[in-house]
Amino acid sequence: MIVTTALTKRYGRVLAVDGVELAVREGDRYGLIGPNGAGKTTLLRLILGLVYATSGEITVLGQPVPARLRTVLPQVGALVEGPSSYGHLSARANLSLLDAAGPGGARRTRPARIATALERVGLARIDERPVKAYSLGMRQRLGLAAALLRAPRLLVLDEPTNGLDPQGIREIRDILRELNESGTTVFLSSHLLAEVEQLCTRVGVMEQGRLVIQEELAVLQAATGRVIVHTPDAARAVALLDGRVESSVDGRLLVRHPDPAELNALLVGEGLRVTEIGPERRSLEETVLAVTSAGSDRVDSAPTAPAASPAAVPPEPAEPAAVPAVPAEPAVPAEPAAPAVVEDP
Amino acid sequence: MIAVELVKLVRRPRTWVSIVLLCALPAMVAIFLAVTKIGPAPGKEPAFLSAVLANGSLLPAAALALVLPLFLPVAVAVMAGDSIAGEASSGMLRYLLMRPVGRTRLLLAKLVALLVFMVAAVVAVAVSSYILGRALFPAQPGAAAAVSVSGSPLTTTQLVLRICAAVGYVAVSMLAVGAIGLFLSTLTDSSLGAALGALAALVASEVLVTLDAAGAVRTYLPTRYWFAWLDFFRDPILWRDIDRGLAIQAVYTAVFLALAWANFATKDITS
């Protein structure tokens, strides 16, 4: 759906986007994470043809951008850097003007399409008040309605839940999931990890203009190859699993073992009591912080860690099922300091 | 997109406010004149005002002379300066371009809306003051409808035709301001900045026109032939300055529109 090769955008002396190799596949719910100023919005603007690249190539829906924007953009719905509208006009008037401004979409079907889009975002009963009287959340919904107006194949959304209350955020998440299930690819940016973790299937992490991670969410959250065991018989367990226990604190053991089930059988077989057992998983937050918190210097990913290498973007889909039950090598290395090679400038 | 721009123009309160204000100034002058009957001495500025007392049909010409130096260019500069920069500052520019509206097409639509506004403003001034003139200053029965600047009488038909020609010329005279404003509007995200920039260019031109030391460049300034439409009221019509005025407007318009296009088509939209 969206592929960029060595995409670079320079504003004067600032390198806003630096050699980004983005790959959003059809059917993805792709979440682009990164701190403010990491280049997320600039990347979105490049993809939508608002800003022209300094170097590198962009392909959206199989067509080169910006050369073929005229054929690409009618199939793309977008929300970039907050919703906008003509404040003195009503929601319907705004959508109607926007719809009339571009190609495609019969005038005959316009009122119906506007009604559908408004209903979809929960503004079905909107009145004729001018938009300037709307709350931030209503404007956000209106912006989303504008993006959905033409039933796009691809949605590009910049911070789509900005200004919404928790209920609104949940609603938008449900809408996006529904749309995605009916075949719309969703590409969104956010600085809220939890939001991306709950919605997306695939994650990209940006840091100072570079795409430092691009991976399936399931892979990022894969087991680390260790098992957490809670047992009242900690001392016996440590003796039994000699050398494989990394830590033992208050009956909570961290054991290097590929398979929790097997470990459980072993422990129980020896007559040990187990209150809780399960694989250790990293949260998205830990993963992201591991790559992005290394300070303001350049952060390079270890070449051995496929998750963290921008060069290792898999062009072919890696099935979520391919999440290794027994990871030969942890998808995300255990020690935060280990994978991130901090180069001195 | 052109239709959308025209709808936006019509539905925007500011359009109507500025046209009403443009019509209000000549109306105010006419009412004062009708009440006090004190006209300026013949041949003194503002043009035609002394003749209005004798013949109300000349009020449109006097009205044009009143709004031309400042009111009209200010209104046009504000509209032109707002055209792209206004969309940028409201954030709608990116949504229009992503709709997608081609950049050239958007610029063209803005230009058409601007032209429509210019013509509508000038026509509104002329029509409103014609009606007002006929109402406030009844023509003396039996007298010739009007007397041309050269002294020979003009029939009402001739007069109306010449007023129409003057209206057209004044509208064309606004092209250079409009084009400069449009160009500046593509440079900045502040509509106020673009409007003021266009006005600054205009004021500079008006100052240089009166300066003898700037004689070498005077002929090429956009405001140099602004009042050439007065020649429509000579008998016979003196075409020389009118032609030059039209040519100068055409050149300025072409150059600044080309600049606007070149800049806008290659610009990074970061608003």
Side-chain angles (χ1 to χ4, degrees), chain A:
Chain A
M1 283 307 231
I2 309 173
V3 178
T4 70
T5 8
L7 185 61
T8 298
K9 175 63 188 178
R10 187 183 281 281
Y11 288 120
R13 296 181 61 185
V14 181
L15 208 50
V17 169
D18 183 6
V20 166
E21 309 260 345
L22 186 76
V24 178
R25 296 169 321 217
E26 180 139 26
D28 273 350
R29 293 196 296 266
Y30 191 112
L32 191 64
I33 325 172
N36 292 325
K40 301 188 298 290
T41 300
T42 303
L43 181 56
L44 260 54
R45 283 177 183 273
L46 280 163
I47 288 165
L48 294 164
L50 291 176
V51 160
Y52 297 128
T54 307
S55 65
E57 274 159 34
I58 310 169
T59 313
V60 180
L61 298 168
Q63 307 259 23
V65 165
R68 304 293 302 276
L69 276 176
R70 265 192 89 73
T71 51
V72 170
L73 285 181
Q75 309 172 60
V76 179
L79 185 64
V80 175
E81 232 173 292
S84 308
S85 40
Y86 298 112
H88 60 289
L89 299 176
S90 72
R92 277 173 217 281
N94 263 293
L95 291 182
S96 177
L97 276 181
L98 195 63
D99 191 66
R107 176 195 287 251
R108 199 163 33 80
T109 62
R110 191 172 296 149
R113 277 182 290 129
I114 290 173
T116 312
L118 285 175
E119 195 176 337
R120 182 123 234 187
V121 298
L123 292 178
R125 302 197 155 271
I126 198 85
D127 49 24
E128 292 301 306
R129 270 188 305 159
V131 173
K132 64 182 168 206
Y134 289 8
S135 68
L136 185 56
M138 283 168 82
R139 286 178 205 210
Q140 190 73 21
R141 284 166 192 259
L142 179 58
L144 202 59
L148 296 179
L149 201 51
R150 322 187 59 81
R153 282 173 63 195
L154 170 67
L155 269 176
V156 178
L157 307 171
D158 194 11
E159 311 274 357
T161 54
N162 229 357
L164 293 175
D165 49 26
Q167 238 164 346
I169 292 178
R170 195 201 185 103
E171 244 176 90
I172 297 298
R173 197 159 61 217
D174 290 344
I175 294 171
L176 292 181
R177 199 171 277 141
E178 254 172 61
L179 285 167
N180 180 249
E181 272 154 21
S182 59
T184 311
T185 304
V186 178
F187 175 51
L188 61 88
S189 83
S190 179
H191 59 267
L192 301 174
L193 288 170
E195 185 181 307
V196 168
E197 201 162 19
Q198 289 185 55
L199 177 66
C200 295
T201 54
R202 205 162 138 80
V203 176
V205 180
M206 280 194 87
E207 162 85 347
Q208 290 175 28
R210 311 185 51 171
L211 190 65
V212 288
I213 292 184
Q214 174 165 260
E215 192 51 89
E216 297 290 332
L217 183 66
V219 173
L220 290 182
Q221 292 177 326
T224 57
R226 292 185 293 193
V227 179
I228 301 168
V229 182
H230 287 261
T231 168
D233 307 322
R236 284 182 58 201
V238 171
L240 176 70
L241 301 168
D242 182 38
R244 281 192 283 176
V245 178
E246 291 191 355
S247 74
S248 165
V249 181
D250 294 338
R252 180 184 183 275
L253 274 58
L254 199 55
V255 184
R256 249 183 296 116
H257 196 285
D259 188 356
E262 222 171 83
L263 181 63
N264 193 24
L266 174 70
L267 291 173
V268 174
E270 293 292 324
L272 273 77
R273 294 166 297 168
V274 175
T275 46
E276 213 177 313
I277 187 163
E280 186 196 45
R281 289 180 191 280
R282 290 171 63 99
S283 71
L284 185 58
E285 188 178 5
E286 284 174 287
T287 311
V288 170
L289 288 180
V291 251
T292 57
S293 67
S296 56
D297 287 334
R298 235 178 98 198
V299 177
D300 264 345
S301 41
T304 48
S309 172
V313 173
E316 63 282 303
E319 293 288 288
V323 174
V326 184
E329 187 174 31
V332 177
E335 295 303 316
V341 177
V342 181
E343 288 181 1
D344 284 324

Side-chain angles (χ1 to χ4, degrees), chain A residues 9 11 45 48-52 73 78-82 84-86 88-89 97-103 150, chain B residues 1 4 7-8 11 13 87 90-92 94-103 265-271:
Chain A
K9 175 63 188 178
Y11 288 120
R45 283 177 183 273
L48 294 164
L50 291 176
V51 160
Y52 297 128
L73 285 181
L79 185 64
V80 175
E81 232 173 292
S84 308
S85 40
Y86 298 112
H88 60 289
L89 299 176
L97 276 181
L98 195 63
D99 191 66
R150 322 187 59 81
Chain B
M1 190 58 211
V4 170
V7 170
K8 283 191 324 208
R11 294 192 65 166
E87 299 281 2
S90 79
M92 277 307 285
R94 57 177 183 268
Y95 287 103
L96 287 174
L97 294 181
M98 288 187 303
R99 172 54 190 84
V101 180
R103 297 191 182 194
T266 56
K267 189 188 178 188
D268 282 341
I269 307 297
T270 52
S271 63

Side-chain angles (χ1 to χ4, degrees), chain B residues 73 98 116 158 171 200 220:
Chain B
M98 288 187 303
V116 167
Q158 268 179 320
Y220 308 106

Side-chain angles (χ1 to χ4, degrees), chain B residues 159-231:
Chain B
L159 186 68
V160 169
L161 278 179
R162 290 179 186 212
I163 288 176
C164 287
V167 163
Y169 184 85
V170 169
V172 170
S173 302
M174 292 299 114
L175 275 177
V177 194
I180 294 174
L182 200 60
F183 166 60
L184 293 176
S185 189
T186 64
L187 284 183
T188 167
D189 290 348
S190 147
S191 25
L192 192 64
L196 287 178
L199 283 178
L202 213 65
V203 170
S205 164
E206 292 197 68
V207 166
L208 289 182
V209 162
T210 61
L211 188 70
D212 284 333
V217 296
R218 190 150 61 181
T219 339
Y220 308 106
L221 294 171
T223 62
R224 167 65 183 84
Y225 295 105
W226 262 12
F227 279 91
W229 58 272
L230 293 177
D231 293 343

